[in-house]
């Protein structure tokens, strides 16, 4: 077994009386694409928030690339190479596409010229060439999703956490995003993606991890996970179609 790039061990997070993430453990190997799925409110984004250092777990530990993330800020975790996108794209005010990506690149590259060159290359890589000078509010939803990925790439990640980057995209845009995700892996970036678009997540994932009301209920090869009776039960009665693009 290859050593894990990310190791989540017995992680729990409560919000008042609600246990949003309940004793979850999982491993991510270098080079993997892992799909993290589950019904609305299952705890997927909360788990991402803890991995990315938005807030610490109440219990358990997360180890990334040999470093315990305990007590580390989001900025430090980002510098270690673990970077997330936001479920709701969060463009920085009226900055342009290039400025947004360059701001992330400046985290590890103090030179303005080098960070600008890196940002230009990333804009091309995610398919935003020609839009470098556009103010971010003028982008389409699909372009904003690609900018989220670009901003994450600006930080030069080893592991990227993608939170619903296909939500609201049409079929052609989803296909484009899937190509980008596969390209990330070829570039040596490990990927964990939260996604409600089941067809898309099945197409791209090496492995699926399923959460339901905070607990991990399945972890394994995609085809066997989707046939798991516990997983089918978790999704029955859930309005997941609304998210299918
Ligand atoms: N900051 C918070 N304060 C209080 N409750 C929260 C907070 N963040 C999440 N929750 C609750 O924790 C549970 C898990 O939420 P989370 O956003 O992690 O789910 P999710 O799996 O990402 O869902 P979705 O698919 O709808 O994005 C939900 O019941 C949610 O209402
Ligand atoms: Mg979420």
């Amino acid at each position: 077994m290859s050593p894990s790039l990310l190791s989540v061990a017995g992680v729990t997070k409560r919000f008042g009386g609600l246990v949003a993430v309940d004793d979850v453990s999982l491993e991510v190997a270098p080079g993997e694409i892992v799909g993290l799925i589950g019904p609305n409110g299952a705890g997927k984004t909360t788990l991402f928030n803890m991995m990315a250092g938005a807030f610490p777990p109440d219990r358990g530990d997360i180890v990334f690339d040999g470093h315990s993330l305990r007590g580390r800020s989001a900025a430090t975790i980002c510098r270690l190479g673990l970077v997330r996108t936001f479920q709701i794209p969060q463009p920085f005010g009226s900055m342009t596409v290039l400025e947004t990506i360059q701001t992330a690149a400046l985290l590890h590259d103090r030179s303005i010229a080098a960070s600008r060159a890196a940002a230009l290359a990333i804009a091309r890589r995610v398919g935003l060439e020609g839009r470098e000078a556009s103010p971010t509010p003028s982008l389409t939803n699909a372009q904003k999703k690609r900018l989220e990925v670009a901003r994450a790439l600006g930080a030069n990640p080893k592991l990227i956490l993608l939170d619903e980057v296909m939500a609201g995209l049409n079929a052609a845009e989803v296909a484009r995003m899937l190509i980008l995700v596969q390209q990330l892996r070829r570039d040596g970036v490990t990927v964990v993606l939260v996604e409600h678009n089941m067809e898309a997540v099945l197409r791209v994932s090496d492995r699926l991890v399923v959460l339901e009301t905070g607990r991990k209920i399945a972890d394994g090869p995609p085809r066997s996970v989707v046939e798991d009776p516990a997983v089918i039960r978790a999704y029955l009665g859930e309005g997941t179609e609304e998210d299918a693009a």
Side-chain angles (χ1 to χ4, degrees), residues 13 51 78 95 97 99 106 130 159 168 210 241:
K13 178 69 193 178
M51 291 170 177
C78 182
M95 282 167 93
V97 165
E99 286 163 351
L106 277 166
L159 173 65
V210 189
E241 299 87 339

Side-chain angles (χ1 to χ4, degrees), residues 17 30 87 89 110 171 174 198 220 231 243:
Q87 185 167 348
R110 300 291 159 104
V174 167
M198 206 59 94
V231 175
D243 296 293

Side-chain angles (χ1 to χ4, degrees), residues 40-46 87 163-164 194 196:
N40 292 119
K44 305 177 298 292
T45 296
T46 302
Q87 185 167 348
D163 198 350
E164 298 200 26
V194 163
H196 283 293

Side-chain angles (χ1 to χ4, degrees), residues 183-218:
Q183 185 66 48
L184 293 179
R185 190 229 304 266
R186 277 196 292 278
D187 294 341
V189 183
T190 303
V191 179
V192 180
L193 83 160
V194 163
E195 201 47 69
H196 283 293
N197 183 332
M198 206 59 94
E199 196 188 324
V201 80
L202 275 169
R203 203 172 302 164
V204 81
S205 302
D206 301 313
R207 184 157 59 88
L208 288 185
V209 173
V210 189
L211 296 184
E212 184 195 16
T213 57
R215 299 193 71 91
K216 187 170 95 168
I217 59 165

